[in-house]
Amino acid sequence: MGSVQKEIATLNSLAARISELAAKMTKQLEAENVPAVTLEANSPIKYERLPGDVFMTRQLLEDAMKDLWILSQGPSESVFNYVHMAIPDASALNILNQFDFWNAVPVDGSAATFEQIAKHTKLPVDVVTRVLEHAVTMRFFTKPSPTATSVRHTSRSAALAKDPGLSALVQMVLDETGPPMFLLPEALRRFSMGQPHLTRNMKETAFKLCHSGGAWGDYENSWEFIENDGEGSQKGWRQRNFVKFMAYIKDLFGTEGIVLDAIDWQGAGDVTVVDLGGSAGHDDAILAAKFPNLKIVVQDLPEVASVFEKEFPSNLRSRVSFLTHNMFDPQPVAADIYMLKWILHDWPDAESVKILQALRPALKPGARVVFIDYVGKQEATGASSGAEEEQLPRSIQGFGTATDLRMMALFNAEERPVEAWKSVFKRADERFDVVRVKADPLSFMCVLEAVWRG
Ligand SMILES: C[S@@+](CC[C@H](N)C(=O)[O-])C[C@H]1O[C@@H](n2cnc3c(N)ncnc32)[C@H](O)[C@@H]1O
């Protein structure tokens, strides 16, 4: 946990703290044999395995660096510089990513000319030049000299060339959630200003405002958008990208352990599991490989089916199948266990309740719902509350609050504390007995198990 800083921070005190934290992190990485990264193209693309204590040092370092940044510029200019750069930075990255500048440049560290990159990206040379001129200021690519008309990879741009999952994340976060987030102030002005609470109506989301005709199409919610955007064989390209994004997130957040330990899968015996909204089954491949007693049905929207068919490991197909199913429709599979991972946090309470209620036609007494999701700020009582959470580095808190605002823009939903999740189950049906809840304030994840009393 970070120590509460009482003295008034100065340029020098922050620089000293950064120096101290950088030395500590270097030592910790060495002790854990984690290879160092550099800014060069041949650097490892990430720190492999960052143990909890090293992660915490890194986040404290980030907090201190951000404070130093503010003090180095002064309060006013730090604001000006932020707003001046934030959107062009995001836009440049979105262009680099969507037009695949990453693979236009060799990852071996050699250069590609602007002409060559224009050919690869199908963009005019003048556009390529201007985007790259900005990109190099962000350490995406580097120019051999200020007047050069070629670039080489840096470690940052090379990471995107080497890791399609990272590129899928950039696509999702910038291109699918960026435009609605920009319309959040307008949505709040129209639908929530003067009200006691944020509207929970999904027709009044920033997403809906953004997608009510025009360039961004007319869609009810972001799932409908990512399923249907695109013409002909391009239709569903955003959903196929989303599948990659989810698989990447699983690795990034190391959620494999959370799924494997969510319940005693082995002790459950020979059971059928439905993974509701299970994407293309990345969690199920891991579960099925580890637990031969499980038969799993992955359910998701139509555009996910082809990804499952193409990519799901063939050796597990006898026990894992895919069923196209809209989770608002009555559940067709009478399973022993239903897993909902990262599903309900995408919906306001009313829709979350409907999703749980749609399970009822298939539920037999004793059937279990294993719910794995984010938890927002904890209630200010109990062990993992208040004082302890206050001390988390701001950069960790910001991760959660950023997701929360994204949920606001897309769904008029929010990151909810454990108690709110419990009450969603109760509201769905009294016969859901919540028998176990485990929340981890560091990972923002919670596992809740409910048993259907029948
Ligand atoms: C945040 S992802 C979670 C994926 C997976 N459970 C995981 O944890 O990685 C939400 C999933 O819900 C699916 N989804 C959204 N609306 C749905 C609906 N109406 N019916 C079925 N699946 C839906 C999406 O396609 C997406 O795969």
Side-chain angles (χ1 to χ4, degrees):
M1 300 289 143
S3 61
V4 181
Q5 234 179 329
K6 290 199 181 79
E7 74 277 12
I8 292 184
T10 63
L11 280 175
N12 277 334
S13 72
L14 285 167
R17 180 159 171 75
I18 288 166
S19 177
E20 180 196 312
L21 286 165
K24 182 173 173 187
M25 181 166 164
T26 306
K27 251 195 198 151
Q28 286 173 319
L29 290 171
E30 281 167 5
E32 299 284 344
N33 281 323
V34 180
V37 300
T38 71
L39 295 171
E40 309 308 316
N42 63 0
S43 162
I45 65 169
K46 59 182 161 195
Y47 291 115
E48 290 299 340
R49 301 171 294 102
L50 214 49
D53 55 338
V54 194
F55 174 73
M56 191 55 78
T57 309
R58 178 182 91 174
Q59 297 313 124
L60 291 169
L61 185 55
E62 183 178 330
D63 281 6
M65 290 188 302
K66 282 180 174 161
D67 283 349
L68 184 65
W69 183 80
I70 294 171
L71 289 201
S72 69
Q73 312 199 16
S76 303
E77 265 190 274
S78 75
V79 175
F80 166 79
N81 288 338
Y82 174 73
V83 295
H84 182 64
M85 304 303 283
I87 312 310
D89 281 359
S91 184
L93 177 53
N94 200 1
I95 296 167
L96 296 170
N97 197 53
Q98 291 208 30
F99 293 88
D100 191 30
F101 280 59
W102 318 128
N103 288 298
V105 181
V107 287
D108 63 6
S110 52
T113 64
F114 291 175
E115 292 276 354
Q116 288 168 326
I117 297 169
K119 215 166 177 191
H120 179 93
T121 58
K122 301 195 177 73
L123 288 172
V125 179
D126 64 321
V127 174
V128 165
T129 304
R130 290 168 66 182
V131 171
L132 284 172
E133 292 293 351
H134 189 69
V136 296
T137 69
M138 300 166 70
R139 289 239 188 254
F140 290 116
F141 303 107
T142 179
K143 292 206 306 183
S145 73
T147 53
T149 53
S150 63
V151 288
R152 301 175 201 283
H153 269 299
T154 59
S155 57
R156 237 185 159 193
S157 53
L160 281 138
K162 292 173 188 169
D163 190 347
L166 181 59
S167 168
L169 178 143
V170 171
Q171 165 61 34
M172 167 61 197
V173 176
L174 289 182
D175 204 54
E176 267 110 60
T177 74
M181 288 213 75
F182 250 91
L183 289 187
L184 189 51
E186 183 58 24
L188 292 175
R189 191 164 20 250
R190 289 193 194 186
F191 306 120
S192 293
M193 202 173 161
Q195 303 299 321
H197 300 291
L198 174 76
T199 170
R200 302 301 157 142
N201 187 339
M202 286 197 67
K203 293 198 180 310
E204 297 177 343
T205 57
F207 173 91
K208 185 63 204 144
L209 203 56
C210 180
H211 294 268
S212 19
W216 288 102
D218 196 350
Y219 298 102
E220 289 305 308
N221 59 55
S222 78
W223 304 116
E224 199 191 307
F225 172 52
I226 69 170
E227 273 282 303
N228 295 298
D229 188 48
E231 298 293 327
S233 63
Q234 271 293 92
K235 179 174 172 282
W237 73 277
R238 291 182 190 270
Q239 176 67 284
R240 291 188 284 280
N241 180 75
F242 190 83
V243 171
K244 270 194 221 147
F245 161 70
M246 284 317 303
Y248 179 76
I249 287 282
K250 168 184 85 58
D251 293 337
L252 188 68
F253 292 159
T255 54
E256 192 172 317
I258 297 176
V259 173
L260 289 174
D261 297 338
I263 60 165
D264 179 4
W265 297 103
Q266 186 65 51
D270 291 335
V271 289
T272 300
V273 179
V274 163
D275 185 6
L276 194 71
S279 194
H282 46 258
D283 289 324
D284 309 294
I286 291 159
L287 273 176
K290 178 108 193 255
F291 301 108
N293 54 315
L294 304 181
K295 212 172 140 228
I296 305 178
V297 182
V298 189
Q299 297 181 342
D300 210 294
L301 294 169
E303 293 295 339
V304 181
S306 60
V307 186
F308 178 90
E309 292 313 330
K310 204 163 124 211
E311 291 175 9
F312 197 81
S314 54
N315 61 323
L316 297 171
R317 293 284 177 110
S318 59
R319 287 187 293 116
V320 184
S321 56
F322 186 93
L323 181 71
T324 297
H325 171 65
N326 183 334
M327 60 197 176
F328 288 95
D329 292 339
Q331 176 56 238
V333 180
D336 304 281
I337 300 170
Y338 297 85
M339 180 164 86
L340 280 76
K341 175 166 158 273
W342 283 338
I343 299 300
L344 298 189
H345 83 118
D346 285 338
W347 303 93
D349 282 2
E351 282 73 15
S352 297
V353 162
K354 281 185 198 154
I355 292 168
L356 290 176
Q357 287 175 338
L359 294 175
R360 290 185 300 193
L363 293 176
K364 45 194 180 191
R368 292 195 266 174
V369 178
V370 177
F371 162 92
I372 304 172
D373 219 315
Y374 293 116
V375 275
K377 237 181 169 26
Q378 296 305 291
E379 296 81 359
T381 55
S384 63
S385 65
E388 187 183 310
E389 199 181 46
E390 281 308 310
Q391 291 175 36
L392 282 177
R394 278 169 293 120
S395 52
I396 295 184
Q397 294 178 42
F399 230 87
T401 50
T403 308
D404 186 49
L405 289 183
R406 203 168 280 127
M407 292 301 109
M408 186 190 286
L410 293 185
F411 305 104
N412 278 341
E414 66 199 315
E415 293 307 333
R416 283 162 269 198
V418 168
E419 285 310 312
W421 287 126
K422 283 191 193 165
S423 90
V424 165
F425 274 80
K426 279 294 155 213
R427 270 182 63 192
D429 201 300
E430 277 296 325
R431 290 168 290 176
F432 283 118
D433 286 328
V434 175
V435 294
R436 198 168 54 89
V437 187
K438 197 174 145 220
D440 176 358
L442 263 193
S443 69
F444 293 103
M445 293 289 285
C446 105
V447 177
L448 179 154
E449 185 181 339
V451 178
W452 180 247
R453 211 182 316 131

